[in-house]
Amino acid sequence: MTVTPGVDVGAILSLVIALGLSVGALFVAFGWYGRRLSDHLHCRGCGFDLHGSLDEQGEPPASCPECGRSFREGKGTRRGLRRVRPALLGVGVFVLMLGVGALGLQAYAGSRNLNLNPYKPVWLLRYEAGQHGTTTSVAALDELITRHHAARLSQPAIHLLVAEGMQLQADMTAAWEPRWGEIVEFAREQGHVADADWEQYIKTAVVSSLSLDVRDRVMIGDPIYHWVRSSRPRLSDSSRRWHISREDRGFAIDGIEDTDKPGGRSSSGGSLGGRHGGGASGRGEPFRHELWGDLEPQRYEATRGLSIEVSEMVPGSWEKQGTPFLVFDHDLSDTFELTAEPTAVPMVDDSMRARVHASLTAEDFEIRLDRRWSYISGAIDLDHPPVGLAFRVWLRDSEGREFELGTINEGPNDQTSYHVSGEKPDWGEWTEESGDLVLRPDEATAKQSNDVFEYWNEEVVLKDVVVKLPEPAEEEGRAVSP
């Protein structure tokens, strides 16, 4: 996760020290200036009260009756008598000493590049940890985790940190820091997280990893292709893995649900962990004219309902362990445009032909042997094609015979790799060390993508693609189908 500097606590500390020194200096000044005792004229030399020595015009004598100090032009007198305030003066000196000491400590720590986090109180570390997405937060969390594992955090402090971590986890608009997950998960191991809170934590992690991606433009009557995508969940990096089972409950457009499932319900399973995430399961929802045929061309919200089961995984295995400990329903939503216009438009542009061909390469094609049959597989790499591509893929031998290896579809300017494969040809085993890869444009394949709305409408042939044949020992070791 990208982090930013955040609030500079060192700068804040410098400001506090500066304010403390200023306040201390003011206290010293006011304490030394003292409290006024009277507004009479006094001798500046000895402080003698001249009130009784003034003439009828209120003027002092030429000199002090007490010490003899001369009062030339009134410069030897002052009005009022002040007394030093010892308490105020003492407080000011104390504050100044604290400020100077703190300033010296800060300068020493800065010159030595010392980490002061081990010496900070928990409340300050919690404040810094709350500056989500900053380097300050990361450093504070590292210190809190260290104290947590060393049993140097009080139970109330742990409960507060767990609550803060779960609050951040539930805020899908905020960047997630896996260190918060480490705090929650370790607290659970130590018995500081109740079952209900733990189930909510895992549920939020599952929900955070799922999203619905609907093809952005769909022509009225066409299947509505959409994908349930999974990403990295909001857990710790070291989180254990959970087995997730998902079953479709229904699909709705603008709240109008298709409850009749002629194709049956789809389900999928997988694992969920702190460092694991990524993938998609897609399908095309048949357009139900009796339900959605009267909808006007405009943007709508699509909703896919899911029933989700979460189980613990058998250590060292991909299998789930026991019965699910968490079962819940969840709806995923996305918007798309329903239109009366075609959404997969074929095109050919002579200026793009060379770039289209150059963007396609094939590699790693080989015959793979299974216990009961052989199949061929390989990869087709796409490198920033200038236009969307939607092909059905065939492999052709020297006699012109072809068999299909699947489909590829990708939007313009993307870079990715597609794995294609197919069972052995109808005419028998593939025995040639190379073949031509034939890519034929296909409208239906274009509509099965989320970003191909204009596609290249010419056949592309990748000549003489190397096909690795199995070694003789491999061939002999393969089990023969009964």
Side-chain angles (χ1 to χ4, degrees):
M1 181 183 69
T2 302
V3 295
T4 55
V7 176
D8 189 345
V9 177
I12 293 177
L13 182 59
S14 298
L15 180 61
V16 171
I17 292 174
L19 288 174
L21 289 172
S22 300
V23 171
L26 286 174
F27 274 39
V28 168
F30 283 117
W32 182 260
Y33 190 58
R35 179 170 59 88
R36 175 177 285 185
L37 299 178
S38 73
D39 60 355
H40 296 172
L41 281 176
H42 290 78
C43 174
R44 284 188 179 274
C46 66
F48 180 74
D49 189 343
L50 301 172
H51 182 69
S53 303
L54 302 180
D55 59 20
E56 294 179 355
Q57 285 75 33
E59 296 294 330
S63 61
C64 177
E66 181 69 21
C67 67
R69 182 185 179 94
S70 175
F71 297 153
R72 296 191 309 271
E73 299 178 358
K75 293 183 178 179
T77 63
R78 67 181 180 186
R79 185 165 294 279
L81 184 65
R82 294 182 177 275
R83 177 177 294 171
V84 172
R85 298 180 177 183
L88 197 61
L89 184 62
V91 170
V93 170
F94 179 73
V95 172
L96 278 175
M97 291 177 63
L98 285 180
V100 170
L103 193 63
L105 179 62
Q106 184 189 38
Y108 176 78
S111 65
R112 299 285 183 172
N113 198 25
L114 296 180
N115 176 19
L116 297 179
N117 281 343
Y119 310 101
K120 293 178 182 177
V122 173
W123 66 264
L124 180 56
L125 290 172
R126 281 184 50 221
Y127 167 76
E128 293 178 349
Q131 299 179 41
H132 306 306
T134 67
T135 53
T136 300
S137 174
V138 170
L141 285 169
D142 283 338
E143 175 60 27
L144 288 169
I145 290 170
T146 298
R147 297 188 192 185
H148 195 185
H149 284 261
R152 292 193 287 116
L153 288 179
S154 66
Q155 189 165 324
I158 293 173
H159 288 165
L160 286 172
L161 287 170
V162 168
E164 291 169 10
M166 292 184 63
Q167 183 177 7
L168 175 65
Q169 185 205 32
D171 182 3
M172 300 300 174
T173 64
W176 173 245
E177 170 51 61
R179 289 171 174 82
W180 281 107
E182 186 170 343
I183 289 175
V184 175
E185 292 162 25
F186 186 72
R188 170 65 178 182
E189 292 178 12
Q190 302 301 306
H192 297 302
V193 180
D195 290 345
D197 291 335
W198 180 245
E199 290 178 4
Q200 182 60 49
Y201 175 76
I202 298 300
K203 180 179 178 180
T204 301
V206 174
V207 169
S208 73
S209 71
L210 299 176
S211 62
L212 186 67
D213 182 11
V214 183
R215 179 172 169 82
D216 192 63
R217 297 199 303 274
V218 178
M219 185 176 177
I220 295 173
D222 283 348
I224 305 165
Y225 282 93
H226 58 282
W227 297 260
V228 175
R229 301 194 184 277
S230 60
S231 59
R232 188 171 177 177
R234 296 165 83 90
L235 293 167
S236 77
D237 284 342
S238 58
S239 175
R240 63 177 304 173
R241 300 176 71 179
W242 311 92
H243 188 278
I244 311 299
S245 296
R246 304 194 309 259
E247 182 176 332
D248 292 335
R249 288 189 294 109
F251 184 83
I253 298 178
D254 206 32
I256 306 172
E257 185 176 5
D258 177 12
T259 55
D260 184 12
K261 306 251 179 277
R265 295 191 174 192
S266 68
S267 62
S268 60
S271 65
L272 181 79
R275 290 186 177 273
H276 302 275
S281 59
R283 61 179 295 183
E285 185 74 22
F287 189 89
R288 301 292 301 278
H289 282 276
E290 66 274 23
L291 293 175
W292 306 316
D294 294 332
L295 295 177
E296 295 292 329
Q298 64 181 46
R299 201 154 194 89
Y300 291 96
E301 182 179 62
T303 304
R304 167 60 70 190
L306 299 176
S307 292
I308 300 174
E309 295 182 353
V310 185
S311 309
E312 294 185 0
M313 292 188 69
V314 176
S317 168
W318 290 89
E319 299 297 324
K320 62 182 179 180
Q321 176 175 300
T323 58
F325 77 92
L326 183 60
V327 179
F328 63 96
D329 291 339
H330 182 62
D331 292 338
L332 300 175
S333 298
D334 192 21
T335 63
F336 73 102
E337 181 184 352
L338 193 62
T339 176
E341 302 296 325
T343 62
V345 179
M347 65 86 66
V348 174
D349 184 336
D350 292 342
S351 66
M352 292 184 177
R353 185 174 290 109
R355 291 169 58 199
V356 168
H357 285 248
S359 70
L360 291 159
T361 55
E363 61 181 3
D364 299 330
F365 275 79
E366 62 179 327
I367 301 295
R368 293 180 176 269
L369 301 180
D370 207 335
R371 289 188 301 172
R372 299 180 64 87
W373 61 81
S374 65
Y375 64 98
I376 191 167
S377 71
I380 301 176
D381 297 331
L382 281 69
D383 186 9
H384 301 90
V387 65
L389 303 180
F391 296 117
R392 300 189 76 85
V393 183
W394 278 264
L395 186 64
R396 184 165 61 202
D397 69 1
S398 59
E399 298 182 28
R401 298 177 298 187
E402 299 176 351
F403 74 101
E404 192 170 1
L405 295 179
T407 63
I408 63 172
N409 52 25
E410 195 68 27
N413 299 312
D414 286 347
Q415 185 175 32
T416 188
S417 182
Y418 275 83
H419 177 268
V420 293
S421 64
E423 296 184 14
K424 67 179 182 179
D426 294 339
W427 65 82
E429 300 285 352
W430 179 278
T431 59
E432 300 183 2
E433 294 184 349
S434 66
D436 294 341
L437 205 62
V438 183
L439 311 178
R440 294 194 176 101
D442 183 67
E443 179 183 10
T445 300
K447 293 179 179 179
Q448 293 171 14
S449 75
N450 68 334
D451 58 357
V452 177
F453 302 102
E454 187 178 53
Y455 65 96
W456 187 252
N457 196 33
E458 277 188 346
E459 180 177 282
V460 177
V461 180
L462 304 180
K463 305 286 287 184
D464 300 322
V465 173
V466 174
V467 179
K468 181 181 177 182
L469 300 178
E471 299 292 335
E474 257 185 284
E475 182 71 34
E476 293 172 5
R478 181 172 51 148
V480 178
S481 175

